[in-house]
Amino acid sequence: MRVLNILLILALGVTSVFAEEITVNLDRVALILPDQEDYLEYSSRIAIHFTLPDEINSKEIIYAELYIPLNFGEFETVGDSILEIEAFDITTDWAEENTDWDSPWSDPGGDIDTLFSYTYSIMIGQSEDVYMDITRFVRNVVEEDQDNYGLMLIPFKYDQSVFHIYEGVDTQIRNSAEVRLTYK
């Protein structure tokens, strides 16, 4: 029995040695606000992009998580305090300085893949952290050679047809969000 326990401990130790972790910062963030005529129909959005390091090429992605610490303490919110953040794969390249509402971003399905999304719900309070499992997205980029154009974050409140992100939240995301990767 003791030999079996020792072998089990050794096997678990060897498995954990092969798994590695890395943290990647965002390199592009853009707040996309609707035009006045679309303000009551569409929520504002945040486009994010992170460059995956070369060291994970041809590696097996075990887990990938988008981490966003948010602080709503300085913003006044009305109604229900549950906020859902949905992320979609972006399907075309973009730059921070030229994303605007006049591009196809305004219409869901324009430059995002609406067939699959990643979702996380938070309670709007003083501060909340978003932990979004984006393993599928990173695996597709690394293992399936899918283009990495980043993710489009779209907020949704159950008691409102649209939700607008305050300028400043995009700065919080730009300064503190990161992607945490576990691979072997």
Side-chain angles (χ1 to χ4, degrees):
M1 184 63 143
R2 183 174 179 194
V3 171
L4 184 60
N5 287 341
I6 291 173
L7 289 175
L8 181 60
I9 290 170
L10 286 173
L12 290 174
V14 169
T15 302
S16 65
V17 169
F18 290 111
E20 297 184 50
E21 292 185 11
I22 191 166
T23 300
V24 179
N25 293 322
L26 303 183
D27 50 29
R28 281 186 271 166
V29 176
L31 175 61
I32 305 167
L33 300 172
D35 292 331
Q36 289 291 46
E37 64 268 11
D38 294 324
Y39 197 76
L40 297 175
E41 189 175 348
Y42 295 107
S43 295
S44 51
R45 298 155 183 229
I46 295 183
I48 64 169
H49 182 272
F50 48 91
T51 301
L52 295 170
D54 291 338
E55 68 190 75
I56 67 166
N57 288 345
S58 72
K59 301 289 186 180
E60 177 188 344
I61 303 301
I62 298 168
Y63 185 71
E65 176 181 75
L66 174 61
Y67 167 68
I68 307 172
L70 293 176
N71 183 353
F72 289 100
E74 60 193 65
F75 305 114
E76 186 177 325
T77 56
V78 178
D80 189 12
S81 61
I82 296 174
L83 178 68
E84 184 173 282
I85 298 174
E86 199 165 11
F88 298 89
D89 298 2
I90 296 175
T91 59
T92 59
D93 206 2
W94 56 280
E96 281 183 89
E97 60 275 0
N98 67 3
T99 53
D100 60 37
W101 199 257
D102 293 328
S103 72
W105 305 97
S106 62
D107 181 23
D111 283 343
I112 58 176
D113 179 359
T114 58
L115 295 178
F116 187 84
S117 65
Y118 319 89
T119 305
Y120 195 84
S121 296
I122 61 173
M123 295 294 289
I124 299 176
Q126 286 296 329
S127 64
E128 285 290 336
D129 292 338
V130 173
Y131 299 93
M132 191 175 293
D133 180 351
I134 58 168
T135 306
R136 181 179 180 270
F137 174 77
V138 175
R139 279 185 183 151
N140 286 344
V141 171
V142 173
E143 299 171 12
E144 304 297 324
D145 206 26
Q146 172 182 304
D147 290 325
N148 174 12
Y149 297 121
L151 297 169
M152 183 67 72
L153 306 178
I154 303 175
F156 175 76
K157 278 186 77 184
Y158 293 105
D159 64 339
Q160 296 175 357
S161 57
V162 298
F163 183 81
H164 294 291
I165 301 167
Y166 296 97
E167 290 189 52
V169 171
D170 61 321
T171 303
Q172 289 178 29
I173 292 173
R174 177 180 285 106
N175 293 338
S176 58
E178 60 190 24
V179 176
R180 300 170 179 172
L181 304 170
T182 304
Y183 64 94
K184 64 178 184 173

